Amino acid sequence: EVQLVESGGALVQPGGSLRLSCAASGFTFSSRTMSWVRQAPGKGREWVSSITNRGGITTYADSVKGRFTISRDNAKNTLYLQMNSLKPEDTAVYYCARGNSYTQDYWGQGTQVTVSS
């Protein structure tokens, strides 16, 4: 059974930083592209970033480019998202997903990130 469990969400002030983690199990993590997607209140799900199976290629939405960094540790079956210079518009539930920017087939339960003073 595929499981994706996110953690690290919190309330943070504008300009602050957070690091999200996603523990993966139930599949061969090191062979799959992984992504982060987010859903803000009242909006649809938005793709944020993807990383190829060995981490060689990373891609970002324009809205987070230069502020967020995706990474992975295949030895620990864990995906990360380092978020810096956070803005109120980054407030959302963040989901770890198996797949690329166009197609994902499994998502975690999500972790809440709130950026507010």
Side-chain angles (χ1 to χ4, degrees):
E1 178 188 4
V2 172
Q3 288 195 332
L4 300 168
V5 180
E6 302 93 338
S7 61
L11 170 65
V12 62
Q13 292 188 344
S17 297
L18 278 178
R19 188 194 199 201
L20 306 183
S21 299
C22 170
S25 62
F27 65 102
T28 306
F29 180 74
S30 60
S31 69
R32 304 301 293 262
T33 291
M34 297 294 295
S35 296
W36 288 96
V37 298
R38 66 185 182 185
Q39 188 164 19
K43 296 187 177 181
R45 201 164 281 190
E46 174 192 20
W47 169 78
V48 173
S49 181
S50 295
I51 185 168
T52 51
N53 64 318
R54 295 183 180 180
I57 298 174
T58 56
T59 52
Y60 299 92
D62 287 344
S63 57
V64 306
K65 200 172 293 183
R67 300 187 298 120
F68 290 10
T69 302
I70 191 171
S71 62
R72 65 193 295 162
D73 185 336
N74 285 344
K76 295 182 178 179
N77 286 356
T78 303
L79 179 72
Y80 302 101
L81 186 68
Q82 177 66 44
M83 305 187 295
N84 299 329
S85 302
L86 282 161
K87 305 175 181 180
E89 51 264 44
D90 294 318
T91 295
V93 177
Y94 283 72
Y95 299 90
C96 168
R98 190 178 77 170
N100 59 30
S101 60
Y102 299 102
T103 304
Q104 302 113 34
D105 57 2
Y106 287 93
W107 298 262
Q109 84 290 346
T111 187
Q112 177 70 48
V113 172
T114 302
V115 184
S116 175
S117 55

